[in-house]
Amino acid sequence: MSVASSEDLAPPLEAGTALYREEEKTAKKKKEKKKKSKGLANVFCVFSKGKKKKGQLSSAEPEGAARSRQGLDGPPPTAAAGPEVPESVFLHLGRTMKEDLEAVVERLKPLFPAEFGVVAAYAESYHQHFAAHLAAVTQFELCERDTYMLLVWVQNLYPNDIINSPNLAGELQGVGLGSLLPPRQIRLLEATFLSNEAANVRELMDRALELEAQHWAEDVPPQRLDGHCHSELAIDIIQIISQAQAKAESITLDLGSQIKQVLLAELPAFLRSYQRAFNEFLERGKQLRNYRANVIANINNCLSFRMSMEQKWQVPQDTLSLLLGPLGELKSHGFDTLLQNLREDLKPLFKRFTHTRWAAPMETVEKIITTVDMRLPEFSELQDCFREELMEAVHLHLVKEYIIQLSKRRLVLKTAEQQQQLAGHILANADTIQHFCTQHGSPATWLQPALPTLAEIIRLQDPSAIKIEVATYATCYPDFSKGHLSAILSIKGNLSNSEVKSIRSILDVSTGAQEPSRSLFSLIKVG
């Protein structure tokens, strides 16, 4: 993971429960060596700048608990003193309270009748004093880390690792201590935490993108991973978001769910920024040595983003569409860039159809297929799914350009034999194109009838049969218009004007077809 996206994200649970439990282990070792607890006096002196000592120990009171009460008897911190709310204070405070309550259970409880409720009395006393101190602490302006640690303490460590710890849960069951802070105060702290984390995540994502764009501009080659061009940007962004969510979950699982929605709301703006930065690179970086490799790496990035959204984050469908939009545009622009040289190579080859008046179309198609085949290794470092998508784009381009040449209105065949011969050529060409593209991974089965059906329209002589074929074709390709039909019918020089008009009218009848999910004829302009 890049430095820009990891080092500044505040660690989640490690800073809280892990460090707390480490102190707890250390405390247990000291207890085994029979060292006495220092109590809360030393802890709260951090808050209150020191308190004067109280009287002598009671003969029935454990020394640790007595010393703790000395600190608890002091007043809460004041604005004059000012909070110093370091995380070590929270952690040491929790360890000390837990040790002292365990000491009360082990050594003090047996000395009093059960109805005295000694453990409950101590726990309530601790709880009240802690609540008073924390209420005072929240009056100060807290930094981001202190807000986080306060929430971890109040929402996680205190209730789970202390009150419900194995040695105390049974003793404190039914005491009803409640929360250290009122719900309204907790909600305010949580709102502040969510706002802070959203700002941090925005900054880290922007920094990661800035670093990535700098690598493009400096012509840094992308990494290669399993034979594919690879960028760390998607991994960085995913990790930034995952760490922020884990940090929230270290407070409560509910807060983790809340921050997920907050962070997903940040993603669309970032992805649009990513798309803009990539488009700028496409325009400015054409002369760079690693230009195409970096284009491929960024297209491959889209897969990591999409998989995380669909699987790890389980994004709702409406939100997913919003997020995938910029990625789809980025991928599309990347494909256009990668295919630009191939399209330029093919342009003069397709023009041969009209220049030769379709005299030897198979020879032209074979030259087109050879040209495409020579270019395919350039796309080998795409992820498999994107290589298939790019091959579908090639497939679409070949079919589209072939139809454009048929629609030039420069070929007029007046006999049925001529039309049947052309239809045979089109069928053979269509089979060659379809076989080559599917063999190399194109999933575009929807393109299969595009050329054969046009060949059939050209071959048929009965206007009624042509009408049926046109109606069927319009259901497959709803963007097939009267203009496109007229261009194809112009090849059939033996049709009368009235027959052409009658055939065209079939497109006035609604076929019930919806708007095309994929475009073919809307990409073809006819005069």
Side-chain angles (χ1 to χ4, degrees):
M1 181 171 171
S2 65
V3 174
S5 60
S6 63
E7 64 180 5
D8 294 325
L9 193 62
L13 197 55
E14 304 94 271
T17 55
L19 185 54
Y20 167 77
R21 287 166 186 147
E22 187 62 32
E23 286 207 11
E24 189 177 24
K25 289 179 183 178
T26 304
K28 286 182 179 178
K29 291 180 181 179
K30 291 181 179 180
K31 191 172 183 180
E32 290 171 2
K33 295 179 182 179
K34 297 183 179 179
K35 291 190 176 181
K36 298 179 180 178
S37 169
K38 295 181 179 180
L40 289 176
N42 291 337
V43 176
F44 279 109
C45 74
V46 177
F47 289 102
S48 55
K49 297 296 182 180
K51 304 290 180 297
K52 60 182 180 179
K53 296 182 179 179
K54 294 290 181 180
Q56 299 297 319
L57 292 176
S58 164
S59 59
E61 190 169 30
E63 182 179 353
R67 290 189 179 179
S68 297
R69 292 188 61 80
Q70 294 173 8
L72 290 172
D73 287 338
T78 63
E84 296 186 13
V85 199
E87 58 193 66
S88 60
V89 171
F90 289 110
L91 302 174
H92 187 58
L93 179 151
R95 178 177 65 81
T96 305
M97 174 185 178
K98 185 176 179 182
E99 283 184 348
D100 288 352
L101 284 179
E102 287 174 346
V104 170
V105 171
E106 179 183 349
R107 298 163 58 187
L108 193 59
K109 179 184 175 183
L111 302 179
F112 289 88
E115 59 268 22
F116 275 49
V118 174
V119 178
Y122 267 88
E124 289 171 352
S125 179
Y126 271 113
H127 185 87
Q128 291 168 5
H129 280 80
F130 286 174
H133 280 283
L134 292 181
V137 167
T138 58
Q139 301 307 308
F140 296 103
E141 183 176 350
L142 301 174
C143 68
E144 291 181 17
R145 192 164 187 85
D146 288 346
T147 299
Y148 165 64
M149 284 306 304
L150 188 60
L151 284 170
V152 168
W153 169 249
V154 171
Q155 296 284 75
N156 186 351
L157 293 182
Y158 182 75
N160 296 324
D161 286 39
I162 298 177
I163 302 303
N164 287 314
S165 66
N167 293 335
L168 297 176
E171 299 289 340
L172 299 179
Q173 188 176 13
V175 175
L177 295 177
S179 175
L180 287 171
L181 289 175
R184 180 178 177 278
Q185 186 65 54
I186 291 176
R187 287 195 298 270
L188 289 174
L189 288 171
E190 288 180 342
T192 300
F193 169 80
L194 293 174
S195 177
N196 290 340
E197 287 306 301
N200 288 338
V201 165
R202 275 197 302 273
E203 181 182 352
L204 289 172
M205 292 195 299
D206 289 346
R207 194 180 306 168
L209 177 57
E210 182 181 349
L211 182 61
E212 182 75 7
Q214 182 179 339
H215 288 166
W216 306 336
E218 294 174 354
D219 204 22
V220 177
Q223 302 177 38
R224 262 69 177 184
L225 187 63
D226 298 329
H228 305 298
C229 292
H230 173 74
S231 166
E232 290 288 307
L233 179 62
I235 296 174
D236 287 353
I237 299 305
I238 293 165
Q239 191 165 352
I240 289 169
I241 291 175
S242 297
Q243 286 183 347
Q245 186 168 357
K247 186 175 179 182
E249 288 174 348
S250 72
I251 299 171
T252 64
L253 293 179
D254 179 65
L255 196 60
S257 298
Q258 291 183 49
I259 203 171
K260 177 182 176 181
Q261 304 309 315
V262 172
L263 298 180
L264 287 179
E266 297 292 334
L267 262 183
F270 168 78
L271 293 175
R272 287 193 295 271
S273 296
Y274 179 27
Q275 180 191 348
R276 287 194 297 270
F278 183 66
N279 287 343
E280 290 179 9
F281 168 67
L282 292 181
E283 289 298 319
R284 299 179 182 178
K286 295 179 181 179
Q287 305 305 317
L288 297 175
R289 179 179 180 182
N290 295 296
Y291 177 69
R292 291 179 65 86
N294 276 314
V295 171
I296 290 175
N298 280 280
I299 293 174
N300 288 340
N301 249 342
C302 297
L303 180 61
S304 298
F305 276 119
R306 188 176 69 200
M307 289 178 63
S308 291
M309 293 172 191
E310 292 176 344
Q311 299 173 16
K312 185 174 182 179
W313 298 332
Q314 298 178 338
V315 178
Q317 190 59 46
D318 55 344
T319 306
L320 184 63
S321 300
L322 181 65
L323 293 174
L324 292 180
L327 293 177
E329 290 293 324
L330 184 151
K331 180 185 64 178
S332 178
H333 293 168
F335 280 174
D336 287 342
T337 298
L338 294 179
L339 292 174
Q340 187 171 0
N341 291 338
L342 174 60
R343 288 169 177 164
E344 290 298 320
D345 292 344
L346 294 177
K347 190 178 295 184
L349 296 178
F350 275 106
K351 288 182 178 180
R352 287 187 185 180
F353 287 115
T354 50
H355 290 166
T356 61
R357 297 182 61 80
W358 296 82
M362 182 53 73
E363 180 182 331
T364 301
V365 167
E366 288 176 351
K367 181 64 176 175
I368 288 171
I369 295 301
T370 300
T371 301
V372 174
D373 194 40
M374 292 175 60
R375 287 282 186 180
L376 290 184
E378 297 177 8
F379 315 127
S380 63
E381 291 182 310
L382 282 166
Q383 291 284 353
D384 293 348
C385 62
F386 293 134
R387 194 161 59 247
E388 291 178 1
E389 286 189 48
L390 183 129
M391 197 62 216
E392 181 175 8
V394 172
H395 193 172
L396 173 61
H397 183 74
L398 298 183
V399 172
K400 180 195 72 173
E401 291 299 317
Y402 194 99
I403 294 174
I404 287 174
Q405 298 307 315
L406 275 178
S407 305
K408 290 288 188 179
R409 298 177 184 267
R410 295 179 183 176
L411 181 66
V412 179
L413 305 176
K414 295 188 177 182
T415 69
E417 291 76 14
Q418 290 175 321
Q419 294 169 21
Q420 289 168 1
Q421 183 180 24
L422 176 62
H425 286 317
I426 296 172
L427 281 174
N429 295 162
D431 183 67
T432 299
I433 292 172
Q434 182 72 20
H435 177 74
F436 173 79
C437 291
T438 54
Q439 185 182 39
H440 287 84
S442 170
T445 55
W446 65 280
L447 287 172
Q448 193 279 329
L451 296 179
T453 306
L454 291 181
E456 187 66 2
I457 291 172
I458 292 172
R459 186 190 70 81
L460 292 171
Q461 299 301 308
D462 179 28
S464 296
I466 295 174
K467 279 185 178 182
I468 295 173
E469 205 66 35
V470 169
T472 303
Y473 199 57
T475 61
C476 294
Y477 304 101
D479 53 353
F480 182 61
S481 69
K482 285 185 177 181
H484 297 111
L485 177 58
S486 295
I488 298 299
L489 293 179
S490 69
I491 297 173
K492 300 172 70 65
N494 57 351
L495 286 176
S496 66
N497 289 337
S498 61
E499 288 173 327
V500 170
K501 184 177 180 181
S502 175
I503 294 170
R504 279 168 47 95
S505 68
I506 196 68
L507 293 180
D508 292 330
V509 179
S510 174
T511 61
Q514 299 177 347
E515 288 297 315
S517 58
R518 301 179 180 93
S519 297
L520 174 57
F521 284 94
S522 58
L523 304 174
I524 299 172
K525 295 180 179 180
V526 289

